Amino acid sequence: MNQPAPIQKQAIESVADIAGVNPLRDALVDAGLLIPTGVQGLFGRSGEFEHVVEALDALITRLGADQQAEVLRFPPAMSRPDFERSEYLKGFPQLAGTVHSFCGGEHEQQRVLQCLERGEDWTEYQKPTYVVFAPAACYPVYPVMARRGALPEEGRIVDAFSYCFRHEPSLDPTRMQLFRMREYIRFGTPEQIQAFRSEWIERGTRMIEMLELPNSIDLANDPFFGRGGKIVARSQREQNLKFELLIPIESDDRLTACLSFNYHMDHFGLLWGIKASDESVAHTGCVGFGLERLTLGLFRHHGFDIAKWPKTVCDVLWGHA
Ligand code: ATP
Ligand code: ZN
């Protein structure tokens, strides 16, 4: 058998990055809740962890039962043409993940195997495919809505759920590279989106209170890239476009965004040509639930043993089974 190849020189995360200490991550790994892979932010999950994720997902479904949301599920990826049109590369090129595949013949395959054996760069023959990781659960939904024609007068609400990829390797277990996001996405008039968002800030807060987790709501901005991005982020704040529900998880004095409440105004409507019922440009907004972060919050505050969680919290999560 060949020896495993050493880490490639061109890899973005160095070996040194993989090592390092984070008390919460190390405790979660020791307890078997997260299974490390050797890459920052890429974990396996235990049965207990998934038990909580599934209960949270079901709780979000119950909370949104009156919305008559249309359920749409996509794989954790979207088409490259749709991704290009979404302008994600304008705002967040640093977070994007594209899928590449081997596109050579037998000769090139021999080269790849040789490179692997020598620990050299083998990626020369990996070419971009038409598949790009979804950066948020709502991204594959907009083109689908645009193709449907003008919205009905009451607008639409879509229920989406997906693993999402963001290239933000970190020792902090609440900042993963692949994580699950549940979303309700609202399409309609500015008034409909604003009302939807206020309603969900309230419902989201109620949900976290029922789970007995410390929380606060704050104005936020997305991590727009570069110098121009700072200006976009400031304007996003000035216009009150993004709020987050924050929970202390990784440390007591650092708050982690677990839910986000976004008003995109006509950004996606213009990009995708989504029309309101009166043929004006539709406005959109979404509420996003980070299922791993919420699960980690519960383990952090109620302990690593679910059997010892407060009965009131277990009733909220599993009382409806
Ligand atoms: P942050 O400010 O911490 O980078 P965000 O506000 O950019 O997060 P959103 O883009 O609003 O996150 O995504 C919606 C939800 O997805 C967040 O509220 C969070 O719960 C979850 N989320 C975002 N990034 C990550 C990540 N790297 N790991 C785990 N969950 C994440
Ligand atoms: Zn969204």
Side-chain angles (χ1 to χ4, degrees), residues 95 135-136 166 168 173-181 183 220-223 242-245 255-262 288-294:
L95 300 178
R166 292 186 188 175
E168 42 184 5
T174 69
R175 191 166 293 286
M176 296 184 173
Q177 296 203 57
L178 274 155
F179 57 93
R180 279 161 288 187
M181 201 189 287
E183 287 195 53
N221 62 267
D222 287 308
K242 185 179 183 87
F243 287 92
E244 290 177 334
L245 183 144
L255 299 174
T256 300
C258 292
L259 272 61
S260 73
F261 312 91
N262 306 290
F289 302 80
L291 295 181
E292 275 75 11
R293 287 188 179 174
L294 287 168

Side-chain angles (χ1 to χ4, degrees), residues 123-181:
T123 56
E124 187 187 338
Y125 300 106
Q126 295 292 112
K127 301 286 177 232
T129 67
Y130 279 94
V131 177
V132 176
F133 275 123
C138 59
Y139 266 63
V141 173
Y142 301 108
V144 175
M145 289 300 122
R147 285 196 289 272
R148 294 232 180 121
L151 297 170
E153 221 166 279
E154 68 279 12
R156 287 187 204 281
I157 301 181
V158 173
D159 165 339
F161 170 86
S162 178
Y163 256 102
C164 300
F165 175 88
R166 292 186 188 175
H167 186 245
E168 42 184 5
S170 166
L171 281 174
D172 175 355
T174 69
R175 191 166 293 286
M176 296 184 173
Q177 296 203 57
L178 274 155
F179 57 93
R180 279 161 288 187
M181 201 189 287

Side-chain angles (χ1 to χ4, degrees), residues 138 142 185 193 241 262-268 283-286:
C138 59
Y142 301 108
I185 308 134
I193 314 300
L241 297 183
N262 306 290
Y263 177 28
H264 316 123
M265 299 204 287
D266 60 2
H267 175 74
F268 289 115
H283 281 226
T284 63
C286 62

Side-chain angles (χ1 to χ4, degrees), residues 232-251:
V232 183
R234 204 176 316 131
S235 140
Q236 189 184 25
R237 274 181 178 270
E238 280 162 8
Q239 296 179 84
N240 290 346
L241 297 183
K242 185 179 183 87
F243 287 92
E244 290 177 334
L245 183 144
L246 304 154
I247 301 176
I249 303 177
E250 193 252 355
S251 88

